Amino acid sequence: MERGEYGAPEKRRRRRCLILTVVAVLLLIVIIAIVLGLTLRKNTDTFKSTFTARCEKFEGYDCEKVWGAFEEAYVGRDPCKVPPGAYDPFIAAAPLKPACNRMMFWSKTKDVVHDFTEKKDCFITVEDTLMGNVLDGLTWCGKEGSSETFTTSCPGWTDCENNTVRSFWNRVSTAFADAACGDVSAMLNGSIDTPFHPKSPTASLESVSLDCERKLEHPQKTHTDTGANSTQKSSKP
């Protein structure tokens, strides 16, 4: 038998092994893509389910319309290039109902103020309204070229100025202040050096939008495990 005749079967075996390896790698890639797609879809569905369930607790709103307006703001966009104004359609779809003399603003006192408003039903915070409640404590963003909602790998609050979540809360805070009427209250953290910090949303957005003559009426001080807190009142026509 010639020498070349011994090499032919060996070449065929190597070729088959190479083809099988390539097929196995491609199959693995497809499986990973399917698993990632299903996981992403599950996360998106869970996020939307949470949003919708919270929305449905409020009467008089079309929750599918509210969700659609919300998605418009960020889906398919760079998560660091979503300005507050992108949420205008969402604000329009979830208008605030008048709550004169009952609106409570807060800064660095989230747990305390919500514990207070739960016990004292005479005050509401932005998180007690539909537009604040549906996304309280959640993280989300979009990606360029994608129609999905992501709940991981999104930029943090300070990573970029116009990130998805930060722009949302800035816009919602402004809308909450715009809707204020009569006397409004603010609960601040009296245990820190600058309770009313000029760069906080309460000072830089909400108080500016109140468009009122700010006055202090005997600030209340409450002592909790986290320190002293003060409540201030201001009036808006």
Side-chain angles (χ1 to χ4, degrees):
M1 186 179 287
E2 296 295 333
R3 183 175 179 181
E5 294 179 7
Y6 285 107
E10 182 65 25
K11 287 181 179 179
R12 286 195 293 269
R13 282 195 296 272
R14 289 179 179 176
R15 189 179 297 114
R16 284 197 297 268
C17 288
L18 178 61
I19 292 172
L20 289 173
T21 300
V22 171
V23 170
V25 170
L26 291 175
L27 183 60
L28 180 61
I29 292 173
V30 170
I31 291 173
I32 292 174
I34 292 173
V35 170
L36 288 175
L38 291 174
T39 301
L40 177 59
R41 171 55 58 185
K42 181 180 179 181
N43 289 341
T44 300
D45 290 345
T46 300
F47 180 83
K48 183 179 179 181
S49 295
T50 300
F51 181 104
T52 303
R54 291 182 179 182
C55 176
E56 290 174 347
K57 294 178 182 178
F58 296 83
E59 297 181 356
Y61 294 95
D62 183 340
C63 292
E64 276 300 316
K65 180 181 177 182
V66 174
W67 168 258
F70 168 67
E71 273 193 314
E72 275 184 37
Y74 65 89
V75 167
R77 302 181 68 165
D78 183 327
C80 279
K81 294 180 180 179
V82 181
Y87 289 101
D88 285 351
F90 169 75
I91 300 298
L96 278 168
K97 297 179 180 179
C100 293
N101 304 312
R102 299 182 59 212
M103 301 179 82
M104 172 79 77
F105 299 85
W106 58 270
S107 181
K108 306 293 185 183
T109 55
K110 183 176 181 179
D111 291 339
V112 177
V113 75
H114 289 147
D115 182 61
F116 177 75
T117 55
E118 284 177 8
K119 294 176 180 177
K120 302 281 188 180
D121 196 34
C122 51
F123 291 104
I124 64 168
T125 66
V126 67
E127 293 81 11
D128 297 318
T129 68
L130 183 148
M131 65 181 185
N133 185 269
V134 290
L135 292 156
D136 186 24
L138 301 182
T139 297
W140 69 93
C141 65
K143 303 288 184 184
E144 286 185 301
S146 173
S147 61
E148 303 291 341
T149 293
F150 297 84
T151 56
T152 59
S153 300
C154 296
W157 185 270
T158 59
D159 288 343
C160 47
E161 184 175 356
N162 284 329
N163 70 68
T164 317
V165 175
R166 181 174 180 171
S167 289
F168 172 83
W169 286 111
N170 284 347
R171 182 64 187 92
V172 166
S173 295
T174 300
F176 186 68
D178 285 340
C181 54
D183 287 339
V184 297
S185 301
M187 184 176 288
L188 309 176
N189 190 340
S191 66
I192 59 178
D193 292 337
T194 312
F196 193 71
H197 197 285
K199 292 185 178 180
S200 69
T202 301
S204 63
L205 298 171
E206 294 168 341
S207 65
V208 173
S209 297
L210 288 175
D211 188 25
C212 65
E213 182 179 350
R214 188 165 171 270
K215 63 180 180 179
L216 185 64
E217 297 181 352
H218 306 294
Q220 291 182 335
K221 298 267 188 180
T222 58
H223 294 275
T224 67
D225 292 337
T226 58
N229 297 280
S230 65
T231 302
Q232 300 182 30
K233 283 188 176 182
S234 62
S235 60
K236 179 177 181 179

